[in-house]
Amino acid sequence: MKKIRRFAMVGGTITALVVAPFAAVPASASPHTTITELPALTKGTVGEARAVNDAGQAAGKSFTPDGAAHAVRWNADGSITDLGAPFGVDWSEAWGINGSGVVVGSHDGDGHRNPTRWAPDGTASTLGLPVGAVGGEARAVNDAGVIVGWTQVDGKDHAVRWDPDGAVTDLGPGTGGQRSDAWGINNDGVIVGDADGPGVAIGEAVRWNTDGTVTRLGTLQGNGQGYSTPSGISKSGTVVGYSSGADGYTHPVTWTAAGTIRELPALPGAAKADGYAYAINADGTIVGEAQAADFYRTAVRWSPDGSVTDLRFLPDRAGGLARGINTAGVIVGDSTGIATRWTD
C-alpha cells in the first residue's frame, strides 16, 4: 500500500518546477535481449525480483510449498537462496540489496511488519525503531550499509534511516504535513521518498540532503497539484519515479539534481495509460513499466540518450515490469508474477 507522509521542514528548500519532456524518439523491441525466468521456491508460484547489485545478485520474494512468502536472494548463476521467515514467523519479503549482498525488507510479527536486515551469510536481524514507533519496513540499502524505509508513529508513516551501527533516525514529518516514506538512497547518503505537506493533498517526491535540508521535488502538474513518488536515485543525484499528469494518468519521470522534472517518453503507438520508472544505474539507464502498442503492460528501458526500449516479458505471460538494474545493465523484475531477468 502506498504511503503518504509528513515532516518538519529542516532548512527545507522548495525548488522551482520546470517541466522538460524528453524529445520523442522511436522505440525498439530489443531482439538481442535475453529474457530468463528466475527460479521460485515452489515452481509455478508467484515470485518478484525487486533489486540487483553489481555482482548480479537479486533480491525479492517467492513462495514456499505451504503458500508462505519468503524473502529470497537470487545468485548471479540464477540459483535461489531462501532467506526464510525469521524468528518463527510465516512471512517475509525483500526490497533491496547492496554490493556486499546485504538484503533488506521486512517480516511479520505482532500484527504488523517489522524492518529486517539479512547479512550476506543469511543471518537475519530486526532493525530498531525510534521511540514510540510501531512496525515498519526497510526499502533500500547503500554500499556503506545505510538503510532507509518507514515506520509508524501515532498511526502515521514516518521515513526512517538506519546507520550501519544500528542507530535509527526518524526523518519525518519534514514538509509541514503528517506523513512521509523513504524509498531510495545513493552511496553519498542522499535519500529520496515522498511526503504530504501544505498544498499537497496526497504525497509529493522529496529529497533528504546530506546537510539535513529537505527538498520538495514537485509534480508534473505543479503548484501543489497531483502527486509524485520517487523510486530511486543515482550516484549523480538523478531521481526516478512517477507523477500524476493533467491528463489523469501516472507518468514515468526523472528529476535532475537541480530539481528539474522531466517526463520520460511513452512507447510509440501506445494508448494513453499509466507508466512508472523504478530504478536508475550509474550511467543513467532507467527501467520501469509502461503500456505497449499491443495494450500489454510491459517492462521498459530508457537509455541515457532518451530512447525507449520495450523489453517484453516471458512467453505465455500477460505482461511485465522491470524493478532493478545494475551497472552492467542486468535488469530484474517480473512477468506477471514470475521473477524475471533481462540481459543483453
Side-chain angles (χ1 to χ4, degrees):
M1 181 176 71
K2 182 181 179 298
K3 294 167 195 44
I4 310 170
R5 10 272 148 199
R6 86 147 103 139
F7 309 57
M9 175 107 47
V10 183
T13 302
I14 307 296
T15 59
L17 176 71
V18 181
V19 179
F22 282 104
V25 291
S28 58
S30 186
H32 304 298
T33 298
T34 299
I35 307 176
T36 304
E37 177 178 346
L38 293 172
L41 295 176
T42 307
K43 180 68 175 177
T45 59
V46 170
E48 297 177 9
R50 293 168 169 163
V52 59
N53 66 15
D54 287 345
Q57 298 172 306
K61 71 175 181 179
S62 186
F63 283 81
T64 64
D66 59 3
H70 279 197
V72 297
R73 182 180 62 235
W74 287 276
N75 304 304
D77 64 3
S79 60
I80 188 171
T81 298
D82 185 355
L83 296 176
F87 317 116
V89 301
D90 296 326
W91 170 92
S92 67
E93 62 181 317
W95 280 96
I97 186 170
N98 72 4
S100 63
V102 172
V103 174
V104 297
S106 61
H107 70 275
D108 66 356
D110 300 323
H112 47 72
R113 298 182 183 186
N114 297 275
T116 311
R117 175 189 184 275
W118 286 268
D121 66 0
T123 302
S125 57
T126 301
L127 297 169
L129 300 177
V131 175
V134 178
E137 186 164 54
R139 288 271 176 70
V141 56
N142 69 10
D143 287 344
V146 182
I147 300 168
V148 296
W150 62 270
T151 186
Q152 284 200 333
V153 179
D154 296 328
K156 305 293 185 181
D157 296 334
H158 283 209
V160 174
R161 182 188 71 234
W162 291 273
D163 293 330
D165 63 2
V168 58
T169 301
D170 185 346
L171 297 174
T175 55
Q178 297 185 13
R179 309 199 315 181
S180 64
D181 195 357
W183 289 85
I185 182 171
N186 68 10
N187 282 339
D188 287 337
V190 181
I191 300 167
V192 292
D194 62 299
D196 64 359
V200 180
I202 302 176
E204 180 183 328
V206 298
R207 183 180 67 221
W208 288 268
N209 306 301
T210 55
D211 63 3
T213 59
V214 181
T215 302
R216 288 172 61 172
L217 297 175
T219 71
L220 285 174
Q221 294 170 267
N223 301 316
Q225 298 183 60
Y227 61 86
S228 59
T229 300
S231 305
I233 179 170
S234 71
K235 166 68 175 176
S236 66
T238 300
V239 178
V240 299
Y242 45 94
S243 173
S244 60
D247 58 2
Y249 293 99
T250 299
H251 298 265
V253 298
T254 70
W255 292 267
T256 66
T260 303
I261 186 171
R262 296 183 176 184
E263 181 179 345
L264 292 165
L267 291 167
K272 288 186 177 181
D274 296 332
Y276 305 84
Y278 291 129
I280 181 171
N281 71 3
D283 71 8
T285 302
I286 299 165
V287 295
E289 64 173 309
Q291 181 171 300
D294 57 9
F295 300 104
Y296 282 101
R297 303 286 297 178
T298 185
V300 172
R301 178 179 63 214
W302 291 274
S303 298
D305 64 4
S307 59
V308 58
T309 299
D310 182 352
L311 297 173
R312 304 306 290 172
F313 38 85
L314 291 168
D316 302 321
R317 305 308 296 172
L321 62 88
R323 282 279 189 185
I325 181 171
N326 68 11
T327 56
V330 175
I331 298 166
V332 297
D334 71 86
S335 299
T336 52
I338 301 298
T340 307
R341 180 173 61 197
W342 292 262
T343 54
D344 286 330

